[in-house]
Each structure stands twice: as C-alpha cells, then as structure tokens.
DNA sequence: CGACCTGTTGAACTCCGTCAAGGCGTGTGG
DNA sequence: CCACACGCCTTGACGGAGTTCAACAGGTCG
C-alpha cells in the first residue's frame, strides 16, 4: 500500500497540468497514465473518454471521504495524497501515501463506499476513473483487464511487503525501510547535487503509517543521523549512505 | 489476508471429495466454488473445464513454493492451508490462513512467481485455477471478471483490516480479534453443545501471523482464560463469552 | 522408553509508548 | 513591527508491554 516498491512506472515525472486541457503524460502520452500501457490508439481514446481531470486540491483538502459511495478509482497526476482510516476507538491512522502515477482507491473495489479519507498533501491534481465504466471497458479490452488485475496483485504485494513485514521490524528498521522506499521513487531527483527525499507529509503522518508514535520516529531518525546515514530536515531527508546502511541494518 | 472477515461465502461447508470425480459444492453445485457465483450454466461449464482438483495434501505438505512460477490461483476445497514467507534475515513468518471456500495465491497476480510457500495444515484438497486461462475466460465473461475484481478488492480490505490495523493493537486485542475472525467463520460448527474454534494450525503459527512471540500469545490466551472469555485447549479454543469481551476490550 | 516438538511458565532485560517540557517556524492580530 | 498562539518536531525521564532466555510439562512418534 502506499509507498511504492516497484520500479517500472514509478519514474513517471509529475506533470503540472496548468491548463485544464488534456495534458500529455510523458510516459503514456496521455493523462490516463500507467494504466493505459500497451493499448491501441482506439482503446486508448475509449479510456480517455471516461477519465476526468480534477484539481487543484489544496494541502489538507479532501479528495474523497470514508462515507462517500465508491464511484471511481483515482490516479495522482501531480502532487501527493495520503489515505487515512479510523480505528474502532476513534484514533486516525495513515494507511498509504501516493505520488504521481500511483493509483488509489483500489481497496474500495467490490464495496459500496470507501474505507478511508483521501487527503491532498500539497497542491494536487488527480485523474478519476469511474469504476463501473472502467470495468465495462475492461470486458471489451483484455489488455486493460490484464493491467488492472496486475495493479491489484501489485497492491496486495506492496501491502504485504511494507505493512505485513514491517510489523516484525524494529522502529529503526521501519524508518529506514520507509526511506528506502521513498528513495527508490525519487531516484534522479537530486536537489542541488545532493540526493534529497522530499517529504510532503508530516513526520506525524509517517509515524502513524509506520505504527510508531511520533517521538519514536523522531528518535529513530536521530539515530540514523548520528550514524551518518541521513541528514534530517524539516520537509526533506538528505541521503548520505542509505544503501549500505539498509543492507546492514535490515540484513 | 488469510482469516476471512466476510460473511457471505464463508459458510461453504467443506466437502470431502473422496472420489476423484467432480464433486458438488453445496453452495455453487460445482467444485468451482464461490468464484462461479451468478454464472449461467454455459459459463459455468467453461469455468469447470479449466479447473482441476488436486489432493489430498497431507499435513505439512507443500502445495506450492516461493520459487515456483506463478501458474494458478487456488481454492481450498476441504481442509486448511497456511501461507508463509521469509524475511530478509531468514526468519519465517505466517502470512495467511485459508479454509474451505477461500481463494489463495492472489498475491502472485502480475508476478512471475509466488512470494511464499503454501502448506497444508491438515488433509486438504484444493482446486487449481490456471490463471492465464482464467484471465482469458474473464474477458469473455463480464460476470466472472466482476467476481475476480471483487475478490481482489476484498483481499486488500482484509489485509488492511487484520494486518494493517492489527499493528496498532496490543497483544491481547490481537489474539481476541483473531479468535473473533475464526469464530465468525465457524458459526454453526458446535462441537458437543459448546462453541468450539478448531485450530488446525499450531499456536506458533498463530503467534507468527499476529507478529507476536509464542510466549506472548500463550500469556495473552491465559489472560483471556482467566477472565472467563475462552477456554484454551490444545487444538481448539472453547468460546464462553467472546462477543461482549470483544466489544469490551477492542472498544 | 527416550527423543523431539509444542506449549506454558518464570525472570530479566529491551524497546517503545506515555507524559512533560521546550524549541522552532508560521500565521494572526494588535 | 513585535507579541502571541498554535502546530510540528524534538528531547528527556519513566514505566509498561513484550521479547528473550531458560526451564519444564505434556503429547507424539520412533
């Protein structure tokens, strides 16, 4: 869930759709992004007909809420999104982070409503994929069906990898693993010569996502900093020696 | 993942296919089980053509291994199955439990191989659903496609519910929540007047699944026993007062 | 019978959550 | 412009929950 561990479509550059026209995704030549990979032009235009661009959402603005009836899947076009649910005791918890090219809302498939809120972390544009129409389109387009099945399988694997195995890790390892995931997505995005992981979410959000209290995360980051692995900033983390540390700490 | 929280198809009785003929599933009138819900007879027979019955697997016997190339989804016909993966440091961890009517192997969709081993917990029969053929069939059968999408969405929700939210719970709550899930599946299966939860897996497996050490689970079960909520046996747990305790402890 | 596996119990220690306080950046209002 | 409040993050001290280590009980299988 959330922070992607894949490599393929994760390099999608974020494109700022400043005009409300359909803008070109520099991977797929379409705003339908990664889901349209490998379609013929005709299939592509069918897909484009059902997709809508929505935005901009301002930081903290809600894209959909738990109570909303499930109508659409979403793809992040630019910006970033968190999803957060609520425990039976009332505490909120962050369930995923999504960046440009990521699809979200998959958890709601087969359900009547969403199970969590989706909130923009920064100025954000999204594409909506009306699900009923998408499913119909899939039944005429084996390639699209194949893509969607694969995305769902991938989502399950990601959840197992990050959430599932994260449970067995200690706080330091969780923090490091999280950074590793973000880092993989940010390859090539060097700010001023140094490799930076930008953090559009708060540290509190990260802590919640990792099932840690904010204090524990803060201490873990401090430890990593003391070891010379990272440098901790307010809205970013500077990467000094992530690779070897990762192999070292997470074995 | 694993322990199902749904209610609909969970009541599928386990059927012992003692003859290798196609045997009747008493919900779907077919060994294709829940996935074939709502298909026309012709669609049904297409589905049945690609499905194969395999078994019996003996306790501890492997149904598929991590290294195996992904070829098929599986449905538990009778008996029960655990899936277990391996952490980077080498420790094994149980990722799911599956009972009659449950589908497993979904995590492998879109991947070249399985990500974990599947092991029978007791004498077990399974149905194999060759995935490539299933996908092809889906593209001719919107209803089947719909079912499979829904199963995938459901799987994601289950994982989020049990694994995701379980992380924030304390040991006692995790144990209780796990029992609650099993109990819901076992409604109507009263052994000798008292409500029993049969445990085909070891306590160690359960502990691993809940991300606890076996000692902690043992102590948690003891606490629940002392409170008069359950009675702990070797391969079963007797339910005394689960409902109120659940509302009480998990709020 | 003894070897082995699973599960349970006790004691010591470790990690992390909780509580409390303070620093820093930002926005607001005087 | 400064004062102040507020949210976010950090740091320290403490305590509790859970892991680790060790020993043992009960069942199963050779």
């Amino acid at each position: 869930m959330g922070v992607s561990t894949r490599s393929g479509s994760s390099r999608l550059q974020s494109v700022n759709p400043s005009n409300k026209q359909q803008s070109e995704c520099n991977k797929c030549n379409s705003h339908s992004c990664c889901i349209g990979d490998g379609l013929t032009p005709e299939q592509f235009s069918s897909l484009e007909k059902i997709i809508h661009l929505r935005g901009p959402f301002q930081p903290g603005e809600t894209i959909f809420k738990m109570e909303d009836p499930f109508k659409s899947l979403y793809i992040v076009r630019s910006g970033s999104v968190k999803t957060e649910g609520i425990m039976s005791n009332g505490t909120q918890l962050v369930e995923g982070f999504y960046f440009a090219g990521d699809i979200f809302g998959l958890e709601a498939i087969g359900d009547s409503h969403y199970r969590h809120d989706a909130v923009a972390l920064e100025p954000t544009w999204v594409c909506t994929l009306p699900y009923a129409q998408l499913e119909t389109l899939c039944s005429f387009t084996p390639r699209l069906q194949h893509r969607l099945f694969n995305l769902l399988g991938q989502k399950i694997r990601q959840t197992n990898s990050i959430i599932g195995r994260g449970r067995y890790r200690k706080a330091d390892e969780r923090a490091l693993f999280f950074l590793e995931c973000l880092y993989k997505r940010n390859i090539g995005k060097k700010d001023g010569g140094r490799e930076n992981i930008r953090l559009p979410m708060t540290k509190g959000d990260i802590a919640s996502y990792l099932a840690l209290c904010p204090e524990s995360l803060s201490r873990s980051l401090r430890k990593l900093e003391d070891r010379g692995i990272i440098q901790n900033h307010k809205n970013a983390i500077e990467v000094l020696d992530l690779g070897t540390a990762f192999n070292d700490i997470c074995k």
Side-chain angles (χ1 to χ4, degrees), chain A residues 81-202:
Chain A
V81 172
K82 71 173 172 182
T83 54
E84 54 184 355
I86 195 162
M87 292 263 292
S88 38
N89 63 23
T91 55
Q92 284 200 321
L93 49 95
V94 175
E95 305 203 331
F97 297 113
Y98 302 89
F99 304 97
D102 288 342
I103 191 167
F104 63 101
L106 294 173
E107 315 78 11
I109 290 178
D111 205 353
S112 58
H113 53 85
Y114 298 98
R115 288 299 175 97
H116 45 67
D117 297 343
V119 180
L121 295 168
E122 54 191 326
T124 295
W125 289 79
V126 298
C127 299
T128 63
L129 288 153
Y131 182 69
Q133 296 173 59
L134 180 65
E135 205 181 283
T136 304
L137 195 56
C138 279
S139 63
F140 294 114
T141 320
R143 175 77 206 173
L144 185 61
Q145 187 202 60
H146 182 74
R147 277 295 290 158
L148 191 49
F149 277 138
N150 283 7
L151 282 171
L152 284 160
Q154 194 177 62
K155 168 84 181 175
I156 297 172
R157 283 193 293 282
Q158 281 173 22
T159 306
N160 281 345
S161 162
I162 300 182
I163 307 289
R165 308 212 166 171
R167 306 181 304 160
Y168 301 91
R169 296 195 181 94
K170 298 206 176 298
D172 296 359
E173 300 174 285
R174 280 190 227 181
L176 193 57
F177 187 74
F178 178 78
L179 293 178
E180 177 84 1
C181 291
L182 278 189
Y183 180 68
K184 278 183 187 153
R185 300 213 38 147
N186 279 301
I187 283 174
K189 294 190 184 175
K190 302 189 182 183
D191 284 356
R194 291 206 158 182
E195 292 187 334
N196 252 353
I197 303 175
R198 200 176 52 89
L199 299 179
M201 71 295 280
T202 67

Side-chain angles (χ1 to χ4, degrees), chain A residues 26 34 54 57 82 93 100 250:
Chain A
N26 54 5
C34 50
R54 282 182 58 198
F57 292 93
K82 71 173 172 182
L93 49 95
C250 295

Side-chain angles (χ1 to χ4, degrees), chain A residues 2-91:
Chain A
V3 177
S4 171
T5 49
R6 66 207 148 83
S7 55
S9 53
S10 62
R11 310 234 189 151
L12 264 175
Q13 293 289 339
S14 96
V15 174
N16 191 352
S18 45
N19 54 349
K20 291 217 175 182
Q21 296 282 22
Q22 282 185 14
S23 49
E24 302 284 294
C25 168
N26 54 5
K27 173 139 189 169
C28 330
N29 286 336
S30 153
H31 70 215
S32 47
C33 282
C34 50
I35 199 174
D37 264 6
L39 297 187
T40 67
E42 310 87 69
Q43 292 169 338
F44 225 104
S45 69
S46 307
L47 183 56
E48 288 190 327
K49 281 197 194 96
I50 67 171
I51 290 182
H52 297 288
L53 193 55
R54 282 182 58 198
F57 292 93
Q58 294 310 312
E61 203 177 338
T62 298
I63 299 170
F64 60 73
K65 293 185 93 63
M66 294 182 56
E67 318 85 54
D68 293 346
F70 169 56
K71 288 280 198 309
S72 296
L73 304 179
Y74 289 81
I75 294 174
V76 180
R77 185 94 187 92
S78 67
S80 50
V81 172
K82 71 173 172 182
T83 54
E84 54 184 355
I86 195 162
M87 292 263 292
S88 38
N89 63 23
T91 55

